């Protein structure tokens, strides 16, 4: 047939071709979207060896929907499992639990239905996360695959470590579980050891070759970052003894010290985080590394109002007046949160910063600061006692809500009385001594032959009123 030959198409044929072209275009679009999703998935999966295949076989494990078997697994009924899996039987299968969250699922081209979202699991996952060690041992003896991960890509070892089940973790490791398996979330088992009770799991993982410098895929956290962020001093000590790099940065440019200082923590956790920071600094952590916003660990510790950590960082050379990208010093951070973290004793943070030479608030901005910090009168007291003169005006009175004034009437009456009364001679003498000893306060004052009460007064200890 010559190149100039042509076909004559009917209108019906042309319409059919157009429909075919539209269908091909939709197909190409679907394949492109699927390819993008697959690429993201593959980046998070370091090993594809944990497919839905039984060890040494070519067929995928069966899906078990038998409620008797599921009940025995979820309740840890060892005798029932022995009957269900006698010797020479195999316990390598997948569980599809009933229930779950509802979600829209594509059931055909252009068709969607509301269905239950099922998260697949395995007998090993169920028994490992619940601490049923005897049941877990039986299943392993019956050939259950330790690397099977049909749900969110987490292995049974991930489950055991996350649930703080060291005996189960050791069983899995002794039967060949990969201590460096990566879940679909990009986490190794060491990354899910986030509770104090998971210490023994972490120890077992390291003994079986877990990578102490293994990084999570998205955040690029090392196990030391995770332990520091969750305030786990014993984990931090363990990881440092195994050679963890103390100043390695994650995706946010945070070192483990920065991660510990930046993570929000409750008042009852302050001591744990202080101990973590002590260990990191003793191991050589630097107090100066900055994140993307040029914040130092001191900025972050002030935002969390951890007075002991602030004092520790300052004692180790942290810059009290370092500015972040937004032009804010550590003092700004503590004044922003003082009212919300009164249980953390924010006044101690302000006291430490001032004693180490922090810049003070511009006097004209004090009414604004008072408005934000009035719920923590001790913070206000320490801050204002760093000034030899105060110009108290009606704006100061208006900055304190009536309910706060009622709760702390004695203090605020003493403050507002300064509108008519100058500061006391005692306070003026304190200010003069502090100016003279600027930069040397904490070295000199404890050595002065003065009563402890006067030394504390010089260092801005709070008394509950201003004079």
């Amino acid at each position: 047939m010559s190149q100039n030959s042509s076909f004559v198409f009917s209108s019906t044929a042309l319409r059919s071709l157009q429909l075919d072209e539209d269908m091909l275009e939709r197909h190409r679009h679907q394949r492109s979207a699927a390819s993008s999703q697959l690429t993201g998935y593959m980046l998070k999966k370091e090993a594809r060896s944990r497919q839905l295949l039984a060890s040494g076989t070519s067929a995928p494990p069966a899906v078990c929907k038998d409620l008797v078997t599921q009940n025995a697994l979820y309740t840890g009924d060892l005798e029932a499992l022995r009957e269900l899996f006698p010797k020479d039987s195999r316990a390598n299968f997948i569980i599809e639990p009933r229930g779950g969250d509802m979600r829209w699922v594509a059931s055909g081209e252009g068709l969607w239905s509301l269905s239950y979202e099922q998260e697949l699991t395995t007998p090993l996952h169920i028994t490992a996360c619940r601490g049923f060690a005897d049941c877990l041992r039986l299943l392993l003896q019956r050939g259950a695959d330790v690397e099977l991960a049909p749900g969110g890509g987490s292995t049974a070892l991930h489950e055991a470590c996350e649930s703080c089940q060291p005996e189960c973790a050791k069983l899995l490791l002794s039967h060949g579980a990969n201590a460096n398996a990566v879940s679909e979330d990009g986490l190794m088992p060491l990354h899910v050891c986030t509770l104090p009770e998971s210490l023994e799991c972490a120890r077992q993982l390291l003994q079986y070759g877990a990578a102490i410098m293994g990084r999570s895929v998205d955040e690029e956290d090392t196990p030391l970052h995770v332990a520091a962020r969750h305030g786990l001093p014993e984990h931090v000590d363990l990881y440092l003894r195994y050679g963890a790099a103390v100043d390695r940065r994650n995706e946010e440019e945070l070192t483990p010290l920065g991660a510990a200082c930046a993570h929000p923590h409750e008042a009852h956790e302050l001591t744990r985080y202080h101990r973590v920071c002590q260990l990191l600094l003793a191991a050589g952590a630097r107090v100066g590394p900055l994140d993307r916003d040029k914040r130092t660990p001191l900025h972050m510790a002030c935002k969390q109002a951890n007075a002991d950590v602030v004092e520790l960082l300052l004692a180790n050379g942290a810059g009290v007046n370092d500015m972040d990208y937004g032009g804010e010093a550590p003092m700004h951070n503590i004044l922003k949160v003082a009212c919300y973290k009164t249980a953390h004793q924010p006044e101690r943070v302000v006291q430490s910063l001032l004693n180490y030479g922090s810049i003070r608030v511009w006097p004209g901005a004090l009414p604004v600061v008072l408005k934000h910090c009035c719920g923590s009168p001790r913070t206000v007291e320490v801050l204002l006692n760093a000034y030899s003169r105060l110009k108290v005006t009606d704006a100061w009175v208006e900055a304190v809500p009536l309910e706060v004034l009622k709760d702390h009437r004695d203090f605020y009456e003493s403050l507002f009385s300064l509108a008519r009364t100058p500061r006391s001679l005692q306070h003026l003498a304190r200010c003069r001594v502090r100016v003279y000893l600027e930069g040397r306060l904490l070295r000199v004052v404890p050595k002065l032959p003065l009563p402890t009460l006067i030394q504390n007064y010089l260092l801005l200890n709070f008394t509950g009123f201003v004079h």
Side-chain angles (χ1 to χ4, degrees):
M1 186 180 296
S2 68
Q3 291 182 349
N4 294 327
S5 299
S6 61
F7 291 97
V8 178
F9 289 101
S10 66
S11 60
T12 303
L14 287 172
R15 178 172 175 78
S16 177
L17 286 173
Q18 183 63 48
L19 290 173
D20 288 343
E21 184 179 355
D22 292 344
M23 184 175 293
L24 285 171
E25 182 63 29
R26 287 197 300 272
H27 180 64
R28 282 194 296 268
H29 178 75
Q30 290 170 352
R31 289 190 61 181
S32 175
S35 175
S36 175
Q37 293 175 354
L38 181 61
T39 300
Y41 173 77
M42 291 294 290
L43 286 173
K44 291 185 178 182
K45 296 289 285 181
E46 289 191 356
R48 299 301 298 168
S49 59
R50 292 184 283 108
Q51 299 289 336
L52 302 181
L53 298 173
S55 298
T57 67
S58 58
V63 176
C64 173
K65 297 184 179 181
D66 180 53
L67 295 181
V68 174
T69 302
Q70 292 187 25
N71 185 65
L73 290 168
Y74 281 107
T75 59
D77 191 336
L78 181 60
E79 292 305 317
L81 289 177
R82 282 176 176 162
E83 293 181 6
L84 290 165
F85 303 106
K87 289 184 178 180
D88 300 325
S89 64
R90 292 186 63 79
N92 200 45
F93 55 88
I94 294 172
I95 299 289
E96 184 177 339
R98 291 191 173 185
D101 297 327
M102 297 289 286
R103 67 169 181 174
W104 288 100
V105 178
S107 55
E109 187 172 338
L111 298 176
W112 293 77
S113 62
L114 194 60
S115 304
Y116 281 106
E117 180 180 5
Q118 302 292 350
E119 184 172 338
L120 301 179
T121 186
T122 73
L124 292 189
H125 286 70
I126 295 170
T127 52
C129 75
R130 285 164 175 75
F132 300 147
D134 291 335
C135 296
L136 181 65
R137 185 179 292 107
L138 175 69
L139 295 167
L140 291 168
Q141 292 169 353
R142 299 296 185 268
D145 184 2
V146 292
E147 292 302 310
L148 202 58
S154 296
T155 64
L157 184 58
H158 284 90
E159 297 285 332
C161 294
E162 189 171 5
S163 302
C164 309
Q165 303 294 347
E167 187 178 355
C168 292
K170 185 176 182 179
L171 268 173
L172 292 164
L173 288 164
S174 65
H175 280 76
N178 182 6
N180 294 309
V182 181
S183 71
E184 283 187 5
D185 292 330
L187 304 177
M188 297 178 185
L190 272 180
H191 292 124
V192 300
C193 293
T194 59
L195 296 173
E197 296 79 13
S198 66
L199 177 64
E200 187 57 34
C201 290
R203 187 175 285 116
Q204 292 290 340
L205 289 168
L206 290 169
Q207 289 175 358
Y208 277 85
I212 191 61
M213 293 306 299
R215 287 174 174 264
S216 61
V217 173
D218 290 333
E219 294 82 11
E220 296 185 16
D221 281 334
T222 66
L224 189 59
H225 280 95
V226 174
R229 181 178 295 113
H230 288 88
L232 305 176
E234 292 179 316
H235 289 65
V236 168
D237 183 51
L238 175 67
Y239 297 161
L240 290 172
R241 286 190 280 110
Y242 268 82
V246 73
D247 278 329
R248 187 64 55 89
R249 296 181 183 232
N250 65 8
E251 192 270 339
E252 294 181 340
E253 297 297 321
L254 289 177
T255 63
L257 179 62
C261 293
H263 193 70
H265 38 277
E266 301 297 329
H268 67 275
E269 298 174 315
L270 295 174
T271 302
R272 278 172 37 199
Y273 280 90
H274 177 236
R275 180 57 181 152
V276 164
C277 293
Q278 280 183 319
L279 290 167
L280 292 171
L281 289 168
R286 294 180 295 152
V287 296
L290 307 172
D291 69 355
R292 291 173 177 174
D293 295 322
K294 297 180 66 175
R295 296 176 304 168
T296 67
L298 182 59
H299 281 95
M300 302 168 191
C302 287
K303 191 172 182 179
Q304 303 310 324
N306 193 326
D308 290 331
V309 171
V310 167
E311 177 69 30
L312 180 67
L313 293 170
L314 290 168
N316 279 271
V320 69
N321 289 318
D322 287 346
M323 297 290 182
D324 65 13
Y325 189 78
E328 295 188 341
M331 179 65 81
H332 292 91
N333 280 356
I334 183 58
L335 294 179
K336 286 180 180 180
V337 302
C339 193
Y340 308 104
K341 293 184 177 288
T342 54
H344 292 218
Q345 296 181 302
E347 63 273 11
R348 291 181 52 211
V349 177
V350 175
Q351 181 186 17
S352 292
L353 292 174
L354 289 170
N355 286 336
Y356 273 91
S358 172
I359 57 173
R360 297 177 300 170
V361 178
W362 174 57
L366 285 175
V368 178
V369 174
L370 182 60
K371 182 177 180 179
H372 285 286
C373 299
C374 61
S376 176
R378 282 189 169 187
T379 299
V380 175
E381 176 190 347
V382 173
L383 180 66
L384 297 184
N385 278 338
Y387 297 82
S388 59
R389 295 177 180 82
L390 291 173
K391 187 177 180 181
V392 179
T393 64
D394 291 342
W396 290 53
V397 179
E398 294 169 0
V400 182
L402 287 176
E403 58 271 18
V404 175
L405 183 61
K406 290 178 182 177
D407 292 337
H408 308 286
R409 182 171 296 277
D410 290 344
F411 171 76
Y412 283 111
E413 284 183 351
S414 73
L415 173 60
F416 298 150
S417 69
L418 295 180
R420 304 177 300 275
T421 309
R423 302 300 297 263
S424 68
L425 182 60
Q426 177 178 300
H427 172 72
L428 295 175
R430 168 169 62 180
C431 289
R432 188 69 189 93
V433 171
R434 287 179 61 85
V435 170
Y436 180 75
L437 296 177
E438 186 172 359
R440 301 172 292 157
L441 268 171
L442 294 171
R443 294 199 307 271
V444 175
V445 170
K447 297 178 182 179
L448 294 176
L450 297 171
T452 302
L453 186 65
I454 297 180
Q455 290 185 5
N456 291 338
Y457 182 77
L458 287 172
L459 296 177
L460 301 180
N461 261 28
F462 16 88
T463 60
F465 59 91
V466 292
H467 55 85

